[in-house]
Amino acid sequence: MTTLPTLDAPISAHIRQIGVIGAGQMGNGIAQVFAQRGYQVALLDVSDERLNQGVGAITKNLGRLEAKGKINATDKADTLARINTGTDYALLSGCDLVIEAASENETIKRAIFAQLCPVLKADAIIASNTSSLSITRLAASTDRPTRFVGMHFMNPVPVMQLVELIRGIATAEDTFAIIKELVARLGKISVSAEDFPAFIVNRILLPMINEAVYTLYEGVGSVESIDTALKLGANHPMGPLELADFIGLDTCLAVMHVLHEGLADSKYRPCPLLVKYVEAGWLGRKTGRGFYDYTGETPVPTR
Ligand SMILES: CC(=O)CC(=O)SCCNC(=O)CCNC(=O)[C@H](O)C(C)(C)COP(=O)(O)OP(=O)(O)OC[C@H]1O[C@@H](n2cnc3c(N)ncnc32)[C@H](O)[C@@H]1OP(=O)(O)O
Ligand SMILES: NC(=O)C1=CN([C@@H]2O[C@H](COP(=O)(O)OP(=O)(O)OC[C@H]3O[C@@H](n4cnc5c(N)ncnc54)[C@H](OP(=O)(O)O)[C@@H]3O)[C@@H](O)[C@H]2O)C=CC1
């Protein structure tokens, strides 16, 4: 738990300090799994409030693992001690790899890279955890397109095995190879996807979620019947509306916009009800309301 895993002739051995930008559900999960594997982690967000929430989520998750006997109190304390937090980009100056996991908005991500590049070591790699945006375009907004890659973790990060890896047109082969090996060192499995809108997982998953929202919008079923149908009828661990709330409805809508605009096919049109929910600020679990209301002890369907 506390030492870096070894591989034969690891090409990623020099990657020891990891920066993570965005302390939301993905960023804090990514910070947790690297810190658990012995890496030093620098976690940056826009406010101390967001950072405290992120570290709070990590502490809770580690507490759950400790209660189950999967880690001990020392592992938990050591993991937390490896995570430094801050809002100043100087925090990331010593990092070998920085993973951007801020909100799914290209303008925000570009502004982040503009602040990051001047402080970052010349040979450091930048990865984006974007769910859908062009890796080539994001890379082109940095000073190092050859050392830029898509590194798409799945939610919840500590549990999900997959990391989708995406090369931009300029991504160097050694950059890709280092990141692929790093994923293996984390104990996760990678698949490689081409740089098309939403890559593989979300090209398939998000249209299904969008269709579930249309199914609700058109009155074919209630929230509960749609989710029960897919859980019991197709053996999905979560119903599509429950999953949408879990991902975040803002992220789901952003991905549908990228698919719709990027592939220019009306089959990707975001459901108007999904648009309305996001306009209302009903973003799912993270705001206490989405297709379910999370303010009570158990989630209550809203329709
Ligand atoms: C949008 C994108 O860009 C890409 C994406 O990520 S799309 C989303 C992909 N993710 C999914 O589809 C998740 C679908 N859901 C699931 O697989 C499951 O419901 C789940 C793994 C989240 C929870 O599983 P469950 O069996 O219902 O609950 P539960 O028994 O409480 O949890 C199973 C394990 O996950 C852990 N876990 C659950 N939620 C967790 C969380 N948010 N963070 C960390 N760990 C969590 C639990 O502690 C438990 O661990 P152990 O096996 O060590 O005991
Ligand atoms: N949710 C999911 O299931 C998955 C999401 N992703 C991707 O991961 C990324 C993050 O998603 P997720 O964690 O769900 O989103 P969250 O909304 O949970 O977290 C995003 C975090 O980024 C912060 N942020 C916003 N702007 C900046 C900035 N300029 N600098 C630093 N931090 C900033 C936000 O702060 P504030 O709230 O104050 O704006 C928030 O803390 C997105 O690209 C998303 O598409 C990938 C896989 C799965």
Side-chain angles (χ1 to χ4, degrees):
M1 214 68 202
T2 53
T3 50
L4 293 178
T6 50
L7 288 180
D8 291 339
I11 54 169
S12 60
H14 66 289
I15 307 262
R16 306 189 80 83
Q17 278 202 49
I18 312 287
V20 180
I21 301 178
Q25 54 182 340
M26 294 308 290
N28 73 56
I30 294 166
Q32 178 187 324
V33 295
F34 275 104
Q36 278 186 275
R37 286 282 167 166
Y39 292 91
Q40 288 297 325
V41 176
L43 179 61
L44 179 140
D45 205 310
V46 279
S47 68
D48 288 334
E49 187 194 349
R50 284 283 176 265
L51 288 166
N52 291 338
Q53 283 169 354
V55 172
I58 297 170
T59 309
K60 193 172 155 197
N61 269 334
L62 293 173
R64 200 161 49 183
L65 293 175
E66 187 188 358
K68 286 179 191 158
K70 295 193 172 180
I71 61 171
N72 61 35
T74 311
D75 294 329
K76 181 182 167 191
D78 288 350
T79 299
L80 287 170
R82 283 188 207 104
I83 303 174
N84 288 313
T85 61
T87 54
D88 185 336
Y89 277 78
L91 181 74
L92 305 176
S93 60
C95 290
D96 307 299
L97 164 68
V98 173
I99 304 168
E100 172 280 312
S103 314
E104 188 71 348
N105 175 313
E106 189 162 339
T107 308
I108 289 177
K109 292 186 190 295
R110 281 170 172 264
I112 285 171
F113 298 138
Q115 287 179 273
L116 172 66
C117 290
V119 302
L120 201 54
K121 292 195 291 193
D123 63 343
I125 296 175
I126 304 177
S128 176
N129 186 52
T130 178
S131 295
S132 61
L133 295 165
S134 161
I135 298 303
T136 298
R137 216 164 51 228
L138 292 177
S141 77
T142 73
D143 60 357
R144 61 195 76 204
T146 59
R147 296 190 80 68
F148 192 103
V149 66
M151 193 178 190
H152 183 210
F153 288 83
M154 302 295 136
N155 186 11
V157 180
V159 178
M160 303 297 281
Q161 272 196 288
L162 184 75
V163 182
E164 230 178 344
L165 297 182
I166 307 104
R167 290 180 182 84
I169 198 167
T171 306
E173 254 334 289
D174 66 331
T175 301
F176 191 83
I178 288 167
I179 297 301
K180 189 173 158 71
E181 186 182 282
L182 200 63
V183 170
R185 291 181 122 200
L186 276 182
K188 295 194 182 288
I189 312 263
S190 59
V191 294
S192 158
E194 294 304 317
D195 191 16
F196 275 71
F199 322 124
I200 296 173
V201 172
N202 288 334
R203 170 83 176 256
I204 298 167
L205 187 62
L206 265 296
M208 184 203 69
I209 287 175
N210 194 46
E211 201 59 32
V213 186
Y214 270 116
T215 309
L216 179 68
Y217 181 57
E218 291 170 10
V220 182
S222 64
V223 168
E224 198 169 10
S225 55
I226 291 165
D227 277 349
T228 303
L230 269 290
K231 279 194 282 190
L232 301 187
N235 260 2
H236 290 193
M238 285 177 171
L241 300 172
E242 186 188 358
L243 182 57
D245 277 0
F246 182 61
I247 291 169
L249 302 190
D250 51 344
T251 303
C252 292
L253 180 60
V255 174
M256 288 312 299
H257 279 310
V258 169
L259 282 167
H260 194 213
E261 284 157 22
L263 298 170
D265 190 327
S266 62
K267 75 180 176 180
Y268 299 113
R269 187 169 76 102
C271 178
L273 188 62
L274 179 60
V275 175
K276 276 269 175 292
Y277 269 53
V278 173
E279 285 173 350
W282 297 347
L283 306 183
R285 274 184 184 273
K286 63 185 169 189
T287 59
R289 181 178 174 144
F291 295 110
Y292 293 82
D293 184 325
Y294 298 94
T295 50
E297 207 140 277
T298 50
V300 178
T302 55
R303 277 169 184 259

